[in-house]
Amino acid sequence: MDLINILPDNVANQIAAGEVVDRPAGAVKELLENAMDAEATQIDLVVKDAGRTLIQVIDNGKGMSDGDARLCFERHATSKIHHADDLFAIHTMGFRGEALASIAAIAQVELRTRQHDNELGSQVIIEGSHIVSQQPTACPAGTSLAVKNLFFNVPARRNFLKKDSVELSHIEEVFRRITLIHYDIGFTFSSNGKMLYDLKAGTLLQRIAGLYGNAYKERMYSVEEQTDLVKIRGFVSRPEYSRRTRGEQYLFVNGRFIKHPALSAAVEKAYADLLPDHSYPSYFIGLQVDPSRIDVNIHPTKTEVKFVDEHALFAILRSAVKRALGQFSLATELSFDTPEEFNIAPAPKGYVPQQPRISYNPDYNPFRASGTQSHQRKIETFEELEPLEKPAPIEKPQPVAAAGACLQVQNRYIATPLSSGLALIDQQRAHERVLYDKLTQSNNLATTQSQTLLFPVNCSFSAADAEMLSELLPDLKEYGFEIAALNQTTFVVTATPTDLKEADLQPFFDQMLASYKSATLQKYCNRTQSLCASLARQMAVKSGTVLSQEQMQQLVADLFACPMADTSPSGKKIITIVKPEELLK
Ligand code: ADP
Ligand code: MG
């Protein structure tokens, strides 16, 4: 006995409808996409009862012929692909010819459509896949498709719908996902006779403002990047406008909203520690990539996609966002690289150092423990030193060296003898390293080192900096700062760590915040590391400061106690060792 039946079309369509249109928002998406595929420049969405009783989309697109007006409700009826090869270069939203067939299977649909060249249009009424009527009609050019009583013949689905507010919010989300990226098209959206959105064609920023309010115009930085692989355009929220939820995060590829956890992570990574814990940036970013570099098996109703060049896209997107954040917020900030910095690069292999033009006392013995004479010694042309060979791993100072003769050179470098040669130490970087290690390792620094100011000092900041400082107050307290907010932008400082010699606290904090932003942007260090690096940088003794013999010895001893004595927290070389034979030359 044969058991197999071919399902009648209306049943097959109803089943297919379950995939395409699981709730009113699904039908809204399909109809809006069809209108865009028809090259409409103005699209109006009307819903009643959250789409339960009416979803209507009216467009001024190219319209359909009489024949197409009927055919479009057939399964696999599509004007968008003709060959399997077309799948590799899809530029339209739909292409499976399923949506209208599905919707017509589960609703009462009225289509009115007219092509621009025709005087009369067609009206088609179809209910549960059965054509009720088709007749010529006078109507505007374009298409109006009204979906009434969705799921009228599928009670199970109808009963599954959530309350109107929930269904309406799903529709709004669909509306945002489509309208955000199609900002060159005008859209309106009205619900139960009330206009919710009236979006004029314009720029992406205008569209964001149209959907979220004008205030958003001030909250965004623009992201732009163009490479062979991808063109990126969009907006990301300034860190101070981050949100407690991941709501406003929109990525689009070739005009289509997508969900892509890796690319979203790329955007969030770009913010690094600029954001307080448990807060998330808003972003609206469109990518254009060659459609053939996207997995063709994407389902039109799904938002997941796969890219051939995922890794490259990740890196490009992250750096584009980083740059957007850096370019705008850090325009005036201090860089870790100041031109006069001490940076002796390692020499290429096989490089024979040229004789450095150093004037030295031939009687000077750097390995002599005591050397009162050495105070007169001066390396006059230090700046002209040629690159030296990469130093051997840092040797802990011999007791003999720790006890003796540090020499300060140009108030910037400390020369101290080691058994392997003469160590030249950048005093500022060395102190930065020492302070950084102290700050990151010590939790009770506050109790031991805080010092109450005789006169509390008021400091004022921009709104953005003030917000950042507020976030950092608990951490700063641990490091010996007592700071309280007086109002939104003014703070009073009542205590500082004793290490802090700066009399002028305002520039101290300004620069500290700038370094903090920079540290969090330039490196992938965590918030504590960034804060400690910036504090250390501000608190460190500066080049040009005259150091006493005890200060130098203390600094050298402290430095050699650090596990990473040879590099500063910002990654700069601290120590160069001049070998005895080089010295003798
Ligand atoms: P698909 O979009 O996948 O092609 P649909 O079922 O959504 O399938 O639509 C079927 C066809 O009906 C489309 O290919 C298109 O030719 C036509 N169509 C649907 N909506 C419109 C519209 N608003 N304007 C013009 N043509 C339309
Ligand atoms: Mg479609």
Side-chain angles (χ1 to χ4, degrees):
M1 191 173 81
D2 295 339
L3 296 175
I4 295 176
N5 277 326
I6 301 288
L7 287 176
D9 269 359
N10 60 334
V11 179
N13 285 340
Q14 267 196 24
I15 295 169
E19 275 184 45
V20 184
V21 183
D22 55 344
R23 61 187 347 145
V28 169
K29 172 176 180 286
E30 294 297 336
L31 300 186
L32 290 176
E33 290 187 345
N34 279 348
M36 290 188 295
D37 285 345
E39 294 163 17
T41 57
Q42 176 65 40
I43 301 174
D44 302 306
L45 167 65
V46 178
V47 302
K48 282 201 182 123
D49 305 316
R52 251 178 252 270
T53 53
L54 177 73
I55 297 166
Q56 184 174 16
V57 170
I58 305 156
D59 69 58
N60 65 353
K62 55 188 172 200
M64 283 180 263
S65 67
D66 289 353
D68 284 354
R70 197 169 25 78
L71 203 61
C72 70
F73 293 108
E74 297 288 328
R75 210 143 164 237
H76 306 305
T78 179
S79 54
K80 300 167 194 175
I81 59 170
H82 297 96
H83 308 285
D85 277 357
D86 294 347
L87 281 172
F88 291 89
I90 287 168
H91 294 281
T92 53
M93 295 287 152
F95 58 87
R96 291 159 61 111
E98 254 179 2
L100 292 188
S102 300
I103 292 169
I106 51 165
Q108 299 158 339
V109 175
E110 183 191 351
L111 166 68
R112 291 156 69 83
T113 185
R114 175 165 76 84
Q115 292 181 314
H116 289 248
D117 294 344
N118 292 350
E119 273 182 27
L120 273 187
S122 324
Q123 184 205 45
V124 176
I125 296 179
I126 180 166
E127 272 188 32
S129 299
H130 298 293
I131 300 227
V132 174
S133 70
Q134 172 164 22
Q135 59 191 33
T137 188
C139 62
T143 301
S144 153
L145 207 136
V147 178
K148 298 174 190 167
N149 302 319
L150 192 70
F151 302 130
F152 81 104
N153 54 353
V154 201
R157 285 237 165 246
R158 202 170 54 229
N159 297 336
F160 223 61
L161 292 179
K162 299 274 182 341
K163 57 178 197 254
D164 277 11
S165 60
V166 174
E167 294 302 335
L168 192 66
S169 69
H170 281 285
I171 295 175
E172 283 195 70
E173 180 60 17
V174 161
F175 185 76
R176 276 191 294 267
R177 288 178 182 185
I178 286 176
T179 56
L180 265 171
I181 195 66
H182 296 281
Y183 44 86
D184 54 335
I185 299 175
F187 288 91
T188 66
F189 177 9
S190 47
S191 162
N192 294 339
K194 187 169 165 249
M195 177 79 82
L196 299 183
Y197 296 96
D198 182 359
L199 308 172
K200 305 278 182 267
T203 64
L204 173 56
L205 194 58
Q206 285 167 340
R207 182 54 49 91
I208 293 170
L211 286 166
Y212 296 97
N214 267 327
Y216 271 63
K217 285 190 178 169
E218 316 300 318
R219 298 186 183 178
M220 298 283 146
Y221 290 141
S222 91
V223 179
E224 237 163 300
E225 180 62 276
Q226 181 145 18
T227 71
D228 288 348
L229 227 49
V230 61
K231 187 174 164 198
I232 300 174
R233 289 203 50 196
F235 288 89
V236 295
S237 62
R238 297 157 54 149
E240 62 267 34
Y241 292 110
S242 60
R243 293 161 53 94
R244 296 281 153 199
T245 58
R246 271 210 170 79
E248 296 160 0
Q249 303 192 330
Y250 293 89
L251 282 181
F252 304 90
V253 169
N254 297 354
R256 188 189 289 274
F257 172 83
I258 59 154
K259 283 190 185 142
H260 199 287
L263 289 187
S264 300
V267 178
E268 289 194 13
K269 277 233 159 71
Y271 280 80
D273 286 329
L274 283 182
L275 297 177
D277 287 346
H278 307 298
S279 68
Y280 305 94
S282 303
Y283 53 84
F284 310 91
I285 299 177
L287 313 177
Q288 289 284 340
V289 301
D290 180 344
S292 69
R293 310 294 287 174
I294 303 178
D295 188 328
V296 290
N297 279 323
I298 67 168
H299 187 286
T301 66
K302 296 256 164 68
T303 48
E304 284 79 17
V305 296
K306 278 193 194 144
F307 297 98
V308 179
D309 312 293
E310 182 177 319
H311 288 293
L313 288 181
F314 179 96
I316 296 168
L317 180 59
R318 187 182 59 189
S319 80
V321 175
K322 273 178 79 169
R323 218 185 40 231
L325 295 169
Q327 227 169 41
F328 295 93
S329 59
L330 305 172
T332 55
E333 80 155 68
L334 253 189
S335 152
F336 276 124
D337 280 301
T338 51
E340 78 281 6
E341 270 190 301
F342 170 69
N343 220 349
I344 298 180
K349 253 200 148 63
Y351 173 82
V352 183
Q354 290 187 3
Q355 185 169 348
R357 281 171 286 151
I358 297 175
S359 65
Y360 63 97
N361 179 347
D363 298 332
Y364 174 54
N365 176 358
F367 310 107
R368 197 167 55 207
S370 68
T372 41
Q373 275 189 341
S374 62
H375 284 282
Q376 287 113 46
R377 213 148 314 288
K378 192 158 182 259
I379 298 177
E380 269 153 6
T381 53
F382 190 88
E383 299 300 327
E384 293 162 2
L385 271 178
E386 294 294 337
L388 300 172
E389 280 176 326
K390 205 182 169 76
I394 294 308
E395 161 205 349
K396 299 287 172 187
Q398 307 296 317
V400 62
C406 295
L407 167 71
Q408 194 179 20
V409 182
Q410 294 191 341
N411 296 335
R412 285 179 70 178
Y413 312 110
I414 300 167
T416 192
L418 299 180
S419 62
S420 57
L422 181 69
L424 296 173
I425 299 171
D426 180 305
Q427 67 186 39
Q428 182 173 338
R429 288 177 188 176
H431 198 203
E432 229 176 289
R433 163 54 68 193
V434 168
L435 288 172
Y436 176 82
D437 281 25
K438 253 201 231 173
L439 289 168
T440 48
Q441 280 154 27
S442 162
N443 294 325
N444 53 5
L445 207 72
T447 45
T448 54
Q449 297 206 352
S450 191
Q451 176 179 291
T452 306
L453 299 178
L454 229 64
F455 303 103
V457 177
N458 283 5
C459 298
S460 299
F461 303 92
S462 70
D465 278 4
E467 207 169 311
M468 188 180 291
L469 187 62
S470 304
E471 299 279 347
L472 293 173
L473 288 188
D475 307 67
L476 287 168
K477 192 173 161 61
E478 279 199 27
Y479 302 130
F481 291 90
E482 288 293 342
I483 307 170
L486 284 182
N487 56 43
Q488 297 281 56
T489 53
T490 311
F491 295 77
V492 58
V493 184
T494 50
T496 62
T498 45
D499 270 336
L500 182 57
K501 296 287 180 292
E502 217 83 12
D504 206 349
L505 283 168
Q506 179 76 53
F508 173 86
F509 284 112
D510 287 341
Q511 286 168 18
M512 196 276 291
L513 289 171
S515 301
Y516 176 71
K517 279 185 270 185
S518 171
T520 51
L521 278 184
Q522 290 183 7
K523 314 193 307 172
Y524 297 116
C525 47
N526 66 32
R527 171 203 177 88
T528 310
Q529 290 166 331
S530 300
L531 180 63
C532 291
S534 51
L535 281 176
R537 185 174 174 78
Q538 294 316 308
M539 287 159 66
V541 57
K542 302 290 178 294
S543 301
T545 311
V546 180
L547 298 180
S548 71
Q549 190 57 224
E550 296 84 75
Q551 285 173 321
M552 284 192 280
Q553 284 177 7
Q554 183 66 51
L555 181 53
V556 172
D558 288 350
L559 177 68
F560 283 109
C562 296
M564 284 179 66
D566 52 345
T567 355
S568 77
S570 42
K572 299 277 162 27
K573 190 168 165 177
I574 297 174
I575 307 170
T576 292
I577 295 181
V578 186
K579 295 211 177 113
E581 58 270 27
E582 287 157 1
L583 266 181
L584 290 174
K585 279 188 207 161

